[in-house]
């Protein structure tokens, strides 16, 4: 008599259960936020029907559009400056030796671990000490401080995976150091530079603490505008705006990570 072997029941790994719980904890509030952004009721607690009116109102709100314009100006200017300085800093730390290099490397990456409130207070004290009036450009200068470090870290990680002998070969063939950097090293660093810039762009666009300490009168950024409106309660228009910001940030972060992965494969 043939006895079929007993089939073992599949066991659910505790890592999978733990991962599901973590993902629910992380993304359920975002899903609830998105759900209530389509709520017809002006109060987020009660559902009265589906509507897109809150999204339409955002594009007709002058304060929101002005804050968005300020945020984009700050982000693009800060990222543009950080892209140049961060790339040069990463190359200098990786390719050259000079006295105090280790100390300079540690100081350069300090903005990554220093709390934002400390950077904000330090920047405000510095501006006050030199009697520099607060404006949109003081926000840009403050954002360069931490954007620079993020760009440099991403570019440095890309630089560590490159063959240093390519530059030496270019120099042996008669290229100047500047030509070797522009024609040989820079194209290979471009995926890391783009990824670092996209990451810094998202961080600059979402920053509230540093911008609120260094902004002049009448220069609200998008996070500052959102904070000023939620003091009286969160309404569906803020939900809609938050959903748009989360979506844009997620897309930019995904592109940055994709660029980094493609760069590493090459």
């Amino acid at each position: 008599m043939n006895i079929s072997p007993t089939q073992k029941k599949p066991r659910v790994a505790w890592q999978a259960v733990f991962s599901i719980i973590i993902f629910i904890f992380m993304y359920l509030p975002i899903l609830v936020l998105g759900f209530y952004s389509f709520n017809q009721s002006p109060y987020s607690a009660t559902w009265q029907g589906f509507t897109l009116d809150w999204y339409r109102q955002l594009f007709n709100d002058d304060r929101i559009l002005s804050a968005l314009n300020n945020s984009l100006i700050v982000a693009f200017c800060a990222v543009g400056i950080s892209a140049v300085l961060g790339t040069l800093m990463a190359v200098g730390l990786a390719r050259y030796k000079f006295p105090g290099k280790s100390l300079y490397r540690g100081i350069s990456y300090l903005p990554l671990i220093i709390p934002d409130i400390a950077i904000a207070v330090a920047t405000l004290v510095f501006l006050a000490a030199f009697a520099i009036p607060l404006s949109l450009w003081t926000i840009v200068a403050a954002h360069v401080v931490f954007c620079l470090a993020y760009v440099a870290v991403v570019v440095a990680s890309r630089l560590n995976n490159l063959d240093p002998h390519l530059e030496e070969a270019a120099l042996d063939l008669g290229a100047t150091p500047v030509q070797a950097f522009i024609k040989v090293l820079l194209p290979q660093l471009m995926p890391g530079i783009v990824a670092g810039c996209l990451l810094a762009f998202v961080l600059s666009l979402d920053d509230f603490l540093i911008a609120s300490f260094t902004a002049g009168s009448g220069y609200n950024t998008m996070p500052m505008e959102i904070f000023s409106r939620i003091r009286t309660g969160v309404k569906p228009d803020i939900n809609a705006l938050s959903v748009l910001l989360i979506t844009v940030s997620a897309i930019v972060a995904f592109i940055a990570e994709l660029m980094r992965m493609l760069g590493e494969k090459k």
Side-chain angles (χ1 to χ4, degrees):
M1 183 174 61
N2 295 329
I3 301 176
S4 59
T6 58
Q7 296 181 353
K8 294 183 178 180
K9 295 181 179 180
R11 299 177 60 184
V12 179
W14 67 268
Q15 294 93 335
V17 176
F18 182 74
S19 299
I20 293 174
I21 294 174
I22 292 299
F23 277 111
I24 292 175
F25 178 78
M26 291 173 58
Y27 295 108
L28 183 60
I30 298 177
L31 295 177
V32 173
L33 176 71
F35 176 77
Y36 279 107
S37 68
F38 300 102
N39 187 12
Q40 192 172 4
S41 171
Y43 305 101
S44 299
T46 58
W47 177 263
Q48 293 184 0
F50 181 87
T51 184
L52 293 174
D53 291 342
W54 304 113
Y55 287 89
R56 296 190 189 99
Q57 289 183 15
L58 289 178
F59 296 100
N60 296 321
D61 192 323
D62 293 336
R63 288 176 56 188
I64 290 293
L65 295 179
S66 176
L68 176 61
N69 181 62
N70 290 337
S71 291
L72 292 177
I73 291 175
V74 170
F76 278 115
C77 292
V79 169
I81 297 172
S82 300
V84 177
L85 298 181
T87 301
L88 295 177
M89 185 176 76
V91 173
L93 289 174
R95 292 290 191 263
Y96 300 98
K97 295 181 179 180
F98 51 88
K101 177 180 177 179
S102 299
L103 178 62
Y104 179 78
R105 186 195 301 272
I107 295 176
S108 300
Y109 296 147
L110 272 181
L112 298 176
I113 59 176
I114 294 178
D116 287 348
I117 186 65
I119 296 177
V121 173
T123 306
L124 181 60
V125 171
F126 174 83
L127 295 173
F130 287 90
I132 300 176
L134 299 181
S135 65
L136 192 66
W137 303 111
T138 54
I139 307 177
V140 173
H143 280 202
V144 169
V145 173
F146 66 88
C147 289
L148 175 64
Y150 280 98
V151 173
V153 166
V154 178
V155 174
S157 65
R158 171 65 177 163
L159 191 60
N160 292 332
N161 297 325
L162 299 182
D163 186 3
H165 299 294
L166 294 176
E167 296 171 76
E168 297 176 2
L171 294 174
D172 292 339
L173 293 174
T176 64
V178 176
Q179 290 175 333
F181 173 76
I182 295 176
K183 295 184 178 181
V184 178
L185 185 59
L186 192 60
Q188 298 180 84
L189 291 178
M190 194 55 62
I193 295 173
V194 173
C197 287
L198 291 175
L199 177 60
F201 180 83
V202 172
L203 294 172
S204 176
L205 195 66
D206 294 341
D207 174 70
F208 168 73
L209 273 176
I210 297 177
S212 62
F213 273 71
T214 57
S217 177
Y219 293 102
N220 278 0
T221 60
M222 185 65 70
M224 295 170 61
E225 182 65 26
I226 293 176
F227 179 76
S228 66
R229 295 194 178 198
I230 63 174
R231 293 179 180 178
T232 57
V234 181
K235 295 183 179 180
D237 59 341
I238 299 301
N239 293 341
L241 179 59
S242 300
V243 170
L244 292 177
L245 288 176
I246 291 172
T247 303
V248 172
S249 299
I251 292 174
V252 173
F254 174 77
I255 295 175
E257 183 64 18
L258 184 62
M259 292 290 297
R260 187 190 63 82
M261 293 175 61
L262 292 176
E264 289 182 352
K265 288 182 180 180
K266 292 181 181 180

